[in-house]
Amino acid sequence: MSFEKLYSINVNQYVEKKNGLSYLTWSYAWKAFVEHYPDAIYEVVKFGGKPYYADDSGAMCYTKVTANGITHEMWLPVMDGANKAMKLQPYKYSTKYGEKTVEAFTMFDVNKTIMRCLVKNLAMFGLGLYIYSGEDLPVSVEETVVKPKPKDNSGW
């Protein structure tokens, strides 16, 4: 299986949208990946037995995926529903709508981040990578990208 083949798989029916971002459902991503790489393995990287690294700036989760002799590592910060970094302690920040609070992360937040990190990791092999580019559909290997011609502004 090549990168191009995985990249060309349309996974849009399994994509969820939240706060303007698109998320590929982890269970479908893993199923689709293992169909092409049945011997694939993933690992949650641990730090002192914990499935995350945390300091005063926030928490980060890491995964590794190995398929066909290639290993990719990926990382993702633990974030709240507004995509703000979650830390060991709650903190406040100001917006034009007033002050907001980001709660301290929990193991539930870590678990969600690990699974989102896994999907991001699988994208490094091609599966659903176009989602991170902001594209709506995968580009097949045969398609050619046509750039629009610049507007003629000579009449200004």
Side-chain angles (χ1 to χ4, degrees):
M1 174 63 51
S2 69
F3 175 91
E4 291 81 13
K5 181 74 174 171
L6 281 175
Y7 185 82
S8 69
I9 296 172
N10 184 340
V11 295
N12 286 342
Q13 72 184 75
Y14 304 102
V15 171
E16 298 174 12
K17 297 205 183 262
K18 184 175 180 183
N19 294 333
L21 297 175
S22 298
Y23 298 93
L24 175 58
T25 303
W26 74 264
S27 56
Y28 175 76
W30 183 248
K31 178 183 179 295
F33 194 79
V34 172
E35 285 174 353
H36 297 287
Y37 290 108
D39 295 333
I41 56 170
Y42 79 89
E43 173 188 355
V44 176
V45 179
K46 295 188 177 144
F47 300 85
K50 296 178 183 177
Y52 61 88
Y53 172 81
D55 62 19
D56 291 338
S57 65
M60 188 79 73
C61 294
Y62 297 80
T63 61
K64 290 182 184 181
V65 174
T66 302
N68 204 26
I70 298 170
T71 300
H72 288 299
E73 183 176 340
M74 192 45 61
W75 50 93
L76 192 66
V78 178
M79 297 178 284
D80 69 1
N83 295 318
K84 294 290 186 187
M86 298 179 86
K87 301 180 181 184
L88 295 165
Q89 300 296 323
Y91 68 94
K92 296 182 184 301
Y93 66 98
S94 296
T95 73
K96 63 182 179 180
Y97 303 108
E99 193 171 75
K100 303 282 183 179
T101 301
V102 177
E103 298 299 328
F105 69 87
T106 67
M107 288 308 294
F108 183 76
D109 302 309
V110 169
N111 180 64
K112 288 190 305 184
T113 301
I114 289 168
M115 301 320 287
R116 285 184 27 239
C117 187
L118 172 62
V119 174
K120 188 177 174 189
N121 211 158
L122 298 177
M124 297 301 291
F125 288 88
L127 184 67
L129 182 62
Y130 63 89
I131 295 167
Y132 294 93
S133 303
E135 299 175 13
D136 293 326
L137 295 172
V139 177
S140 72
V141 179
E142 296 80 27
E143 286 180 271
T144 305
V145 176
V146 178
K147 294 183 180 179
K149 293 180 183 177
K151 291 182 179 180
D152 181 9
N153 293 331
S154 60
W156 287 24

